[in-house]
Amino acid sequence: MRIALSQLVSSTEPEHNLRAIAEQAERAADEGAEVVVYPEAAMARFGIPLGPVAEPLDGPWADGVREVAERTGLLLVAGMFTPAADGRVNNTVLITGRGVDTHYDKLHLFDAFGFAESETVAPGDRAVTVALGDTTIGVATCYDVRFPELFRQLAEDGARVVLLPASWGAGPGKIEQWEVLVRARALDSTCWVAACDQADPASVGVVPSEKAPTGVGHSMVVSPLGEVVGRLGAEPGLVTVEVDPEKTVDEARHAVPVLTNRRTDVLPG
């Protein structure tokens, strides 16, 4: 399976960002990718009122992503915002293409480092996996990476690959935390983890938000044994990596059977 990470700097304009998604999908298809992971908030960056840009899953923005997926023959995974029943929005990942059309609403909201995502975003209520051929793929979003139980649950649900869109907040030590956490979740779940962050806005001359998480870059693909096999820097870019979700995962789970060695009789969950 060839997975591409498309590290973007999302603007405040959904139509502009949809064009960037299309351009990157075409490039990824040329590189032989089957799956393209875009960042969280690919529809529109954080730091603006989200209610006015949110659209339903059958709205024009999501349909635009579906059209790109159909035209390129790719599975596209992109962060957007959808209206929530309580007047807030959902932080949604659209997963579409190759016979798949579903979504994941972020479970763990970023109420940390002085930011309160839950003020405007409603939490999801389910873990999500999808089937791409014979491979089960799990989906998580950004702050979810700090919660190993989600990644273990995705593995228990059959996932061998976890796709992780993000818009990581900047700050002292945050790039280091990002890499440690992504690699740790690969080890916890013995899954491939393909983590795509928003590029650092400063890398393209845009002043980052002082409060909202607008990305630091450093997207990466990590093996089930924690090896970084593909990565990007701070600036926008595309990296395509070949992963083996069968042999390498089987080997990792045989060598380090953390999923079967768990003491759920003493430590449930």
Side-chain angles (χ1 to χ4, degrees):
M1 177 184 296
R2 289 182 65 79
I3 299 176
L5 305 181
S6 175
Q7 185 170 278
L8 307 172
V9 174
S10 294
S11 74
T12 61
E13 299 296 331
E15 284 300 319
H16 173 271
N17 299 326
L18 183 58
R19 289 193 295 272
I21 283 172
E23 291 167 1
Q24 291 286 282
E26 291 165 2
R27 181 179 166 194
D30 289 342
E31 294 186 5
E34 301 166 63
V35 179
V36 185
V37 187
Y38 298 93
E40 176 187 26
M43 179 192 205
R45 68 167 176 82
F46 284 109
I48 62 170
L50 299 177
V53 300
E55 294 183 8
L57 285 161
D58 59 355
W61 198 86
D63 281 348
V65 177
R66 291 186 181 99
E67 187 278 327
V68 174
E70 182 176 0
R71 174 161 46 84
T72 58
L74 299 169
L75 178 70
L76 302 185
V77 179
M80 63 178 294
F81 300 103
T82 57
D86 65 1
R88 292 181 289 178
V89 303
N90 298 305
N91 187 336
T92 298
V93 175
L94 176 65
I95 311 146
T96 189
R98 293 202 165 208
V100 175
D101 192 62
T102 190
H103 70 283
Y104 165 69
D105 291 334
K106 185 178 183 181
L107 287 178
H108 300 99
L109 300 182
F110 183 56
D111 289 357
F113 292 101
F115 188 75
E117 186 176 11
S118 64
E119 290 183 355
T120 56
V121 177
D125 59 8
R126 65 188 180 108
V128 171
T129 61
V130 300
L132 184 62
D134 295 331
T135 301
T136 300
I137 296 173
V139 182
T141 305
C142 201
Y143 191 53
D144 283 336
V145 78
R146 293 185 182 271
F147 299 87
E149 59 271 24
L150 172 58
F151 287 73
R152 286 196 296 262
Q153 183 61 56
L154 292 171
E156 294 285 354
D157 292 343
R160 288 172 170 259
V161 178
V162 179
L163 308 179
L164 178 70
S167 185
W168 200 250
K174 292 297 296 296
I175 293 173
E176 292 81 1
Q177 291 176 36
W178 165 249
E179 177 165 344
V180 166
L181 288 163
V182 173
R183 297 177 74 174
R185 297 298 81 83
L187 288 163
D188 292 338
S189 61
T190 46
C191 287
W192 286 93
V193 177
C196 187
D197 190 25
Q198 290 272 349
D200 184 348
S203 70
V204 294
V206 176
V207 178
S209 170
E210 292 185 0
K211 293 185 178 180
T214 51
V216 297
H218 297 274
S219 300
M220 66 190 77
V221 178
V222 180
S223 81
L225 290 177
E227 178 188 7
V228 178
V229 298
R231 70 163 78 226
L232 293 165
E235 65 284 349
L238 182 82
V239 62
T240 303
V241 175
E242 182 83 32
V243 308
D244 181 351
E246 300 304 322
K247 183 173 183 288
T248 53
V249 172
D250 286 343
E251 289 174 348
R253 291 179 179 177
H254 177 75
V256 192
V258 292
L259 295 173
T260 56
N261 288 347
R262 292 166 60 206
R263 287 294 305 277
T264 56
D265 57 325
V266 177
L267 302 169

